[in-house]
Amino acid sequence: MDSLIRRLQAFRLGENESSPDDSHKSESGKGTMLAQKLISTGTLGAANRGRLLQALYDIGASSRADLARVTGVTRGTIGGIVQPLLDQGVLAEGEVIPPNETGGKPATKLWFSKDARPICAVLLLHDRVSACLVSLEGEVYAQHAVDFPKNVANSADAFRIISTCVEKAVAFGKPILGIGVAVAGMINTETGTIVTVSLAPFLDGFPLETELNKRFGVTVCVDQDTRALLVGDRWFGQGRGRRNFASVYIGETLGGALYLDGHLYRGPAGAGGEIGHTTVDIKGRMCQCGRRGCWETIASSKWLRTEAKVRRLPRPLSLDVSRLLTLADKDVPGARELIRDYTFNIAVGLANLQQFMAPNFIVIHGDIVRGGGPILRLIQESFHDLVFHRPGDDIALAFGDGECLAALRGAASLLLSELLNFVI
Ligand SMILES: [Zn+2]
């Protein structure tokens, strides 16, 4: 927690985007830098509220004095923002901190109320939809999942299945704040419409955000799954308190999302993030996107299975990285070489991302995470060989949380960011 506070204080006093009222000069000595303080005019209450809640997520349950210190305003200003959130049941007073030796009144720690309305989170894959409730603390419950039957012919059939799944989660109890949806496909984030989902053509062009809003009468946010993972990492995972990082999904498909200078970068209408389709081999294999030599053609789970077959490993068509490790432990011929090649291929794309955008911290999600520490270490070795190092650079890779939970928390986080006016 101390390192998080240090990181936050560093960003408050340094390298920041300016806000309408951010006229306070930085103490760093560089006159062009502006400090990111809470905005003090009453008309900007929503932005202040967003920044305060962002700070609370970053440092955990905190007293008003801690929040005043981290956000750079007076305790009076904090009180003015906190009171309506307590009245609305978003926040609650928690643990009492006894007065220190110098005296003063006892303080209480503020945190998200257990009674606050939850968010409905939906994960939409080409063959399956999952829905659940997520509390403001990130607790996932009331999970339901349905496989799409093989004979789904059109978007109306698919939407009936999706909305029934949402209804089951929502039926659990309290009214919901809204619905966040992570889709394993391309999304037009301006309109909340699905552009395309590979292997599920019946979803192409479907206005999911509008239809869910009509059906359930609450705010709905729809985005692609990798960006949802990134937002989930930002609020509940290893991206907490960071100004720059990337999240990358490595499984049947590959995708990436960037958090740069304190903002999620989506690209126009959400077109960014197609890192799986950057070319790494101009004479390489054909990709499912119709182009040749994309990173996805050498780093997806499909590549791993295809290579396992070529290299005559046992049961190649059901191979994943966890079983591959077991084969290597048993000295099955070719297993170690395949692990080395696969982790190198993965490192190539991650190194390209690092070289171009310098996120300096990359959270990896997807099937690859099943490989655990041994696979992460091999990816790290190749990655560090492939990127430039400048003195003082701190560049790291990490594996994310369990796949489905991370995606559902991410879907909820999309809505959270929208509703509570976070800076993201
Ligand atoms: Zn491609």
Side-chain angles (χ1 to χ4, degrees), residues 276-278 287-292 294-297:
H277 302 287
T278 50
C287 180
Q288 55 154 338
C289 72
R291 291 158 195 86
R292 190 176 285 283
C294 298
W295 183 37
E296 194 166 299
T297 65

Side-chain angles (χ1 to χ4, degrees), residues 252-312:
E252 290 302 322
T253 58
L254 272 64
L258 284 165
Y259 191 69
L260 298 174
D261 286 336
H263 293 277
L264 169 65
Y265 181 75
R266 283 189 167 93
E274 297 298 336
I275 191 171
H277 302 287
T278 50
T279 308
V280 293
D281 182 355
I282 52 174
K283 292 181 180 169
R285 298 176 187 181
M286 285 304 294
C287 180
Q288 55 154 338
C289 72
R291 291 158 195 86
R292 190 176 285 283
C294 298
W295 183 37
E296 194 166 299
T297 65
I298 62 159
S300 66
S301 307
K302 185 180 169 196
W303 180 88
L304 186 67
R305 293 192 300 270
T306 308
E307 278 299 306
K309 193 168 179 215
V310 171
R311 301 179 191 202
R312 299 172 184 278

